[in-house]
Amino acid sequence: NTNMASFGPQHTRAVMRLYRQSLQHTRSWMIDNAMFREEAVQLRKRFEVNKNVKSFQQARDLLLAGQNEFTIECHPDKYKPCGALDGTKWERNVRPPAETIQMTAEEEAIYNDKGSWT
């Protein structure tokens, strides 16, 4: 981590932002917690491998390559906590239009046969 500080705070923040965004989008692809954890560990290893890069040019190139990969691989519908505004439960179960709820006479006869329950 001391090597990253020598590249300046902007580079450090960019790497941390890329890691955080990648982790959040990994959660969007992996619903199961065990699978997510495995992917999160692999993601962390990918960042740790390049932690001790000494050349700023190489570090910048790695960051740009990571940002490009993130742009390509990011989830199109990022997971949001279900209770949050626009979260996963937000208007996902929209009530169907009233005209689709109305039963036809034939369906009424099939489903409303309470008279034959005795």
Side-chain angles (χ1 to χ4, degrees):
N1 214 7
T2 56
N3 290 336
M4 280 182 63
S6 66
F7 293 149
Q10 293 163 336
H11 179 79
T12 303
R13 276 192 301 255
V15 171
M16 289 174 16
R17 187 177 322 117
L18 176 62
Y19 176 71
R20 187 172 48 248
Q21 288 175 333
S22 300
L23 197 59
Q24 289 171 347
H25 280 265
T26 299
R27 166 55 85 193
S28 298
W29 288 110
M30 303 290 161
I31 296 171
D32 181 57
N33 279 338
M35 289 173 56
F36 166 71
R37 185 68 190 132
E38 288 175 26
E39 285 295 317
V41 168
Q42 293 301 319
L43 178 66
R44 182 62 186 217
K45 285 180 184 176
R46 289 183 67 188
F47 276 80
E48 291 287 333
V49 165
N50 299 309
K51 178 170 92 170
N52 296 319
V53 170
K54 304 260 191 262
S55 164
F56 179 73
Q57 179 67 37
Q58 186 181 5
R60 191 181 72 188
D61 291 344
L62 287 167
L63 177 60
L64 290 174
Q67 289 170 336
N68 288 336
E69 181 181 342
F70 175 76
T71 302
I72 293 167
E73 298 291 329
C74 71
H75 198 280
D77 187 19
K78 185 180 151 204
Y79 174 79
K80 298 173 189 112
C82 60
L85 180 66
D86 205 28
T88 55
K89 287 187 178 178
W90 185 262
E91 294 184 358
R92 290 286 174 110
N93 295 318
V94 179
R95 290 183 152 273
E99 60 272 7
T100 63
I101 298 174
Q102 300 298 322
M103 284 197 236
T104 64
E106 189 177 308
E107 290 171 331
E108 291 270 350
I110 294 170
Y111 293 110
N112 292 331
D113 61 348
K114 295 178 188 152
S116 64
W117 287 7
T118 56

